[in-house]
Each structure stands twice: as C-alpha cells, then as structure tokens.
Amino acid sequence: MDQDSSGMFKVQQTIGSVVCCKCGVPMPPNAANMCVNCLRSEVDITEGLQKSIQIFYCPECGCYLQPPKTWIKAQWESRDLLSFCIKRLKNLNKVRLKNAEFVWTEPHSKRIKLKLTVQAEVLNGAVLEQSYPVEYTVRDNLCESCSRFQANPDQWVASVQLRQHVSHRRSFFYLEQLILRHDAASRAVRIKQVHQGIDFFFGNKSHADSFVDFLSKVVPIEYRQDKQLVSHDVKSSLYNYKYTYSVKICPICREDLICLPSKVSSSLGNLGPLVVCTKVSDRITLLDPRTLRCAFLDARQYWRSGFQSALTSRQLVKYSVFYVEPPVGEATVGGQKYALSYVLIARESDIGKMLTVQTHLGHILKTGDQALGYDIYGANVNDDEMAEYRLHGRLPEAILIKKCYDKERERKKGKPRAFTTKKLPMEMDESRGGRGVDPGKMENEYEEFLRDLEENPELRFNISLYKNKDYQESDETASMTDGEGAPTVPIEELLAELELSEEGEGDGEDDMDE
C-alpha cells in the first residue's frame, strides 16, 4: 500500500486474469473469455472482404479508371492512389478501417499491394483487430482521349486559340512558365506555336473550359466560343461537335507607355494622362511616373474602354544619366518600391542636348548610369490623344522606364546563366506563306525575357527557375544586393532538377518540379 499526500493509505488496484476457455492460457478478461489466438481461429473478420481486385491504368496520361467512366490521375504510392484503391474495395463498410499502407512491389510488376488493418465486433461484443493484404492487378487500358489521340493524333474535340496582337512574344514566354508551374496544359493532346500566339488542342471540352478559366485568372482576356457540327446520329439524336475558343490577351504589356483617354483618366481620379504599365496579371497596374499615383484595371474595365499603348518596349531609347537629385517622394506599388526624383539626362545619340525630367527610378539611378526611356517628341506615335497633348506642349520630353545594364552584361557575354527554364512541348507552325515564327527573332526576345527575370524579383515570384548544370560560380558573379554589376537570380531561389537515368529503376519520370 502507498501513502498519498493526505496521509491516507491507497490500495493499488490490480487487474485480474482469467483462463481462456479453449486453451487454458491466462489472459485479461474479455466478453468472449477467449484469448486473441483462439478468437482468431474461431472467427475471421476478413471473411467476405475482397483480397484481390483488378484496376485499369492508362500508360499515356498516368490515370486510373474510376468506374464507370471517370479517370483519376495519381502518382505511384501517393495519397491519392491509396484513397482510390480503398474506394474500389467492396463490403469494407462491414468493418471499421483502422490503418492502410502500401507494401513495396516492383514498379514494373503491374501489382499494387496494400496492408489493411480492420476492427469488428465478434462473440458477445468483443472487438477483434486483424490485418490482411489486398493485391491489385494493374491492367493497361488507354483512356478515351488517349485512345482517340493514338488512332489519330490530329483528333481533338476543343481547341483554344490564344492570341496577343503585339510585335513581340515576351508575354507568351511568361505565360508559358505560369502554365508549366500550375500544370495547366497537362490535358492538351497537342500544342502548336503560331504567328502572334499559341494553339492548344484538347480531347475533351471540359479540359478546354478549365484551361480558359485558368487564363482568366493570370492575364486579362476576352474570349468567344464557337462550335462546328462534325456528325449527327439521326436515330439516337446524338450530335458530335468541335469547339473553338478564340482567346485574346489585352495588348497592354509591361513597360508600355499609355496615353489614357480623357474618360478613362477621369474615372481613375484624373490619373496621367501619360502612365506606365508596371505589371500585368489578372489586372493591369498603371503608374504615373511624375506623381507616383497608381491605378488598377481588371479585364472587364479594360475591355470596356479598349485603349492601346502609345509607345511599346520596341521603341525604347538609351539615355545617359549625368546627375540625380535626392528623392522628393517615395511610394510602393504592388510590392515594388519607387522614388520620385529629378534627373539630368541626355540621349546617347545626342549628348549635347541635356534634359531635366522627373522619374520614378530615383531609388536605383546614379550618376553615370544608363537608362532606357521613351523620347516623347521624337518618337513616331499613332495616338490621337497623345498627338493632341504633344501639340500643345503639355507632355515631358522624355520618360525613363528602367535602368540599363548593357555595359555590365557585356563583360559576361558568352557565359552561362545560373538558372534555366522549362518549355512546353510545342510544334512550330511554318505555314501561312512564310508568316510562321522567326527563330532568330524568338531567340532575341527570349534573351530579353531572361534579362527581365534577372532584373525584376516580382516577375519571377510565380514561376519556377532551375539550376543550370553548366554554370560555375566565380568571384566575378554579382548579386542584386551588392550593388555592382548586372542583377542576377540568387542561387537560393533556384530549384534542383531531378533526373533519373534510363538504366535506373523508377517510374520513368524525367524531372521533378518541386
């Protein structure tokens, strides 16, 4: 006996044991008065439960058939595959499932094994727990869309024609990385790169609907849906259509100069009229470089007015910076910091003509730097609003857009970058009488896109960049924080790409995003 704090003696309670009515082994008492081994020999709670089952797997798209017609995508030994396998078992509701886990099998054995632990009430209310294996035989069977594609690769049900009527493809390079990051085009049976856009072909209309819905969340778009009758069964009144989605991305791009129409400017609190587009996502961010005021336009607001860019990044001019005054104001727009300053600049082709202009780049420009901007009065502008303002002399002579790092990049010319990107498996369109994609022009525009990623951390926030195997870090490498040289992407932001050799054992995947 033990004595507690109050001085009272406490009697220890002991659990008595009884003898098994069948084998005579001492055991803790239970409702059946039988030990566990004898109870299992008398009652099998897994009787009537499925021990083997056959499932169908599409080797082309990696999906499993959920009867009657639903195909579910699941990775090998993933939580989704475990849930799918458990749901395929019948009569499992007669017992209570306590645990389920995979038993390792060879990936090429076409077998999936699970170890299930279940509980059930047996004699006189006693609860018995038992584990048993379940074997799934995997049969290869093409799903409907893959079967149609194998029979005819050009067979598709819905196509999404994505277009942007601008003179460059920088928006498509960024959109391609977003699509890869979110795996939005995994259901596409074919992707074709065409003039001023990309065509996506899907084997199911619902897949095209999901893709268009994804596009509306990342860029301002408007689209139109059309359908064409392919065949008609008169007896069963079944119609077979092909659907086409014509999707148009707004022509406003980052770094474009816009002269807002008077109605739009009034609705935005008399912003501008000259504004710079600093970001394009599901909405357009506009910044007045002379006041640091900003405004946001969603897709519906933009397409209601439908204004165009007065000057685009193809018309940027290089300026030399001779003096930068201390900032007179600061603002943060969409996570990006800006500082308002007066700078003394001169066009590189006309050094003798000095200009004093306001700029929103006072936080990064220094004396002796180079900057890219728009020559307002020297540029060829096809905009009535801007021409009228320019006629009355109500516009600045130049507007700076970004700092130029050409001198710093010249020292690194020919050296590989620390990062690399992935690309969609696209076909090149060489039709339309020579109006296909120009490879040389695309290469230059892709180089500009990579430079934008290096200079703008916000631009690479939503995309995946991978380490370049050919890159070797040296002492000359400059980072964005040391203030010297051209900006680069920090190594900490890059993802390691996993590659499995063809000879090694695995599930055949070439890489892993994250």
Side-chain angles (χ1 to χ4, degrees):
M1 291 189 296
D2 296 332
Q3 189 174 5
D4 57 12
S5 58
S6 61
M8 301 293 292
F9 287 98
K10 183 178 180 181
V11 180
Q12 291 184 349
Q13 294 183 357
T14 58
I15 300 177
S17 61
V18 297
V19 178
C20 175
C21 65
K22 193 168 183 182
C23 65
V25 175
M27 65 169 193
N30 57 39
N33 288 329
M34 295 176 63
C35 64
V36 176
N37 294 331
C38 294
L39 198 57
R40 286 177 178 172
S41 63
E42 291 290 328
V43 181
D44 183 12
I45 62 174
T46 64
E47 186 178 359
L49 302 180
Q50 285 183 293
K51 304 293 195 309
S52 62
I53 189 173
Q54 182 174 275
I55 58 177
F56 293 96
Y57 170 76
C58 178
E60 294 293 327
C61 60
C63 295
Y64 293 86
L65 176 62
Q66 177 72 48
K69 293 183 178 181
T70 305
W71 289 85
I72 300 175
K73 191 166 188 177
Q75 299 294 331
W76 182 261
E77 293 192 354
S78 64
R79 181 179 298 181
D80 295 334
L81 182 58
L82 181 63
S83 176
F84 164 77
C85 292
I86 294 175
K87 290 179 180 178
R88 290 301 315 275
L89 297 175
K90 298 179 181 179
N91 301 328
L92 197 60
N93 56 352
K94 295 182 178 180
V95 295
R96 186 167 68 173
L97 181 64
K98 291 291 292 182
N99 187 37
E101 59 184 10
F102 284 102
V103 178
W104 187 84
T105 56
E106 292 283 352
H108 59 270
S109 65
K110 299 298 181 181
R111 296 291 188 274
I112 298 177
K113 290 185 179 181
L114 296 184
K115 180 183 177 182
L116 302 183
T117 303
V118 295
Q119 284 184 348
E121 290 188 3
V122 290
L123 303 175
N124 300 325
V127 178
L128 180 62
E129 183 174 302
Q130 187 174 345
S131 298
Y132 72 103
V134 180
E135 182 176 296
Y136 296 82
T137 303
V138 181
R139 301 294 184 190
D140 288 344
N141 187 22
L142 293 178
C143 62
E144 184 179 356
S145 58
C146 293
S147 177
R148 188 186 299 114
F149 180 73
Q150 288 287 343
N152 183 6
D154 294 328
Q155 184 72 23
W156 52 270
V157 175
S159 69
V160 178
Q161 299 175 351
L162 188 61
R163 299 290 184 272
Q164 186 184 33
H165 300 294
V166 293
S167 59
H168 56 83
R169 300 184 66 90
R170 290 165 61 191
S171 300
F172 287 105
F173 291 137
Y174 180 66
L175 186 59
E176 179 183 11
Q177 298 305 315
L178 289 177
I179 293 173
L180 288 169
R181 173 70 180 267
H182 298 278
D183 203 20
S186 59
R187 300 282 188 175
V189 296
R190 189 158 60 99
I191 304 175
K192 181 188 290 186
Q193 186 168 290
V194 297
H195 179 64
Q196 289 189 337
I198 305 175
D199 289 345
F200 296 85
F201 300 91
F202 297 90
N204 196 309
K205 180 178 179 295
S206 62
H207 299 161
D209 289 331
S210 300
F211 184 69
V212 173
D213 184 58
F214 166 78
L215 293 176
S216 65
K217 295 177 181 178
V218 294
V219 286
I221 63 168
E222 69 170 359
Y223 68 93
R224 187 186 70 222
Q225 176 186 345
D226 297 311
K227 62 181 181 179
Q228 179 184 6
L229 181 64
V230 178
S231 61
H232 173 213
D233 189 349
V234 181
K235 295 182 178 179
S236 59
S237 295
L238 294 178
Y239 296 83
N240 186 16
Y241 289 99
K242 276 192 174 183
Y243 301 88
T244 302
Y245 295 82
S246 179
V247 182
K248 184 166 65 173
I249 304 176
C250 80
I252 305 297
C253 300
R254 199 174 60 86
E255 299 176 355
D256 284 0
L257 184 68
I258 303 161
C259 185
L260 294 176
S262 56
K263 291 184 178 180
V264 179
S265 179
S266 300
S267 64
L268 299 176
N270 292 324
L271 183 72
L274 284 185
V275 294
V276 177
C277 177
T278 60
K279 183 179 179 181
V280 178
S281 56
D282 57 337
R283 58 180 184 174
I284 304 172
T285 304
L286 303 176
L287 175 70
D288 189 340
R290 296 189 293 172
T291 62
L292 297 186
R293 293 177 57 205
C294 66
F296 303 95
L297 293 177
D298 58 20
R300 185 175 59 180
Q301 291 174 317
Y302 170 76
W303 293 113
R304 191 183 300 152
S305 55
F307 54 85
Q308 301 288 326
S309 298
L311 296 172
T312 66
S313 58
R314 307 291 94 182
Q315 299 168 278
L316 287 172
V317 178
K318 190 178 294 185
Y319 289 89
S320 297
V321 180
F322 291 94
Y323 180 70
V324 180
E325 295 185 4
V328 295
E330 294 183 353
T332 302
V333 179
Q336 192 78 15
K337 181 181 177 182
Y338 300 101
L340 186 63
S341 299
Y342 285 90
V343 295
L344 181 64
I345 60 174
R347 188 167 176 170
E348 203 173 61
S349 60
D350 190 7
I351 295 294
K353 185 180 180 181
M354 297 290 182
L355 306 173
T356 301
V357 297
Q358 282 181 307
T359 180
H360 59 292
L361 305 176
H363 60 298
I364 58 173
L365 288 182
K366 298 178 183 178
T367 301
D369 287 345
Q370 290 182 327
L372 295 176
Y374 293 112
D375 187 353
I376 303 300
Y377 288 91
N380 184 15
V381 179
N382 187 18
D383 188 282
D384 296 337
E385 293 277 348
M386 187 169 175
E388 184 178 351
Y389 283 116
R390 194 164 61 172
L391 184 64
H392 295 84
R394 297 165 57 185
L395 299 179
E397 294 186 84
I399 290 182
L400 301 183
I401 299 300
K402 63 179 181 179
K403 186 176 178 179
C404 181
Y405 298 94
D406 286 351
K407 291 182 179 179
E408 293 82 354
R409 287 195 173 96
E410 193 68 27
R411 296 197 298 265
K412 298 182 180 180
K413 191 173 182 181
K415 297 181 181 179
R417 284 184 168 87
F419 68 95
T420 182
T421 59
K422 292 185 178 181
K423 294 185 179 181
L424 288 172
M426 290 188 288
E427 304 174 5
M428 301 291 290
D429 183 21
E430 300 178 357
S431 60
R432 300 192 179 186
R435 288 189 60 199
V437 181
D438 183 5
K441 182 182 177 182
M442 266 195 62
E443 186 176 350
N444 294 333
E445 291 174 350
Y446 186 69
E447 175 66 23
E448 293 179 9
F449 169 68
L450 296 180
R451 292 180 180 181
D452 290 341
L453 292 180
E454 292 176 333
E455 297 174 9
N456 195 337
E458 187 182 1
L459 192 63
R460 59 179 184 261
F461 180 75
N462 292 322
I463 64 177
S464 298
L465 301 178
Y466 300 88
K467 294 180 181 179
N468 188 0
K469 292 188 242 180
D470 300 330
Y471 173 75
Q472 294 182 355
E473 191 172 2
S474 62
D475 297 336
E476 299 177 358
T477 303
S479 64
M480 295 190 63
T481 58
D482 58 11
E484 298 178 358
T488 59
V489 180
I491 301 295
E492 296 78 16
E493 295 185 15
L494 304 181
L495 302 175
E497 187 174 2
L498 176 64
E499 292 189 358
L500 302 178
S501 62
E502 296 180 358
E503 299 178 359
E505 297 179 358
D507 55 0
E509 291 186 358
D510 293 333
D511 49 3
M512 181 177 63
D513 288 353
E514 291 182 87

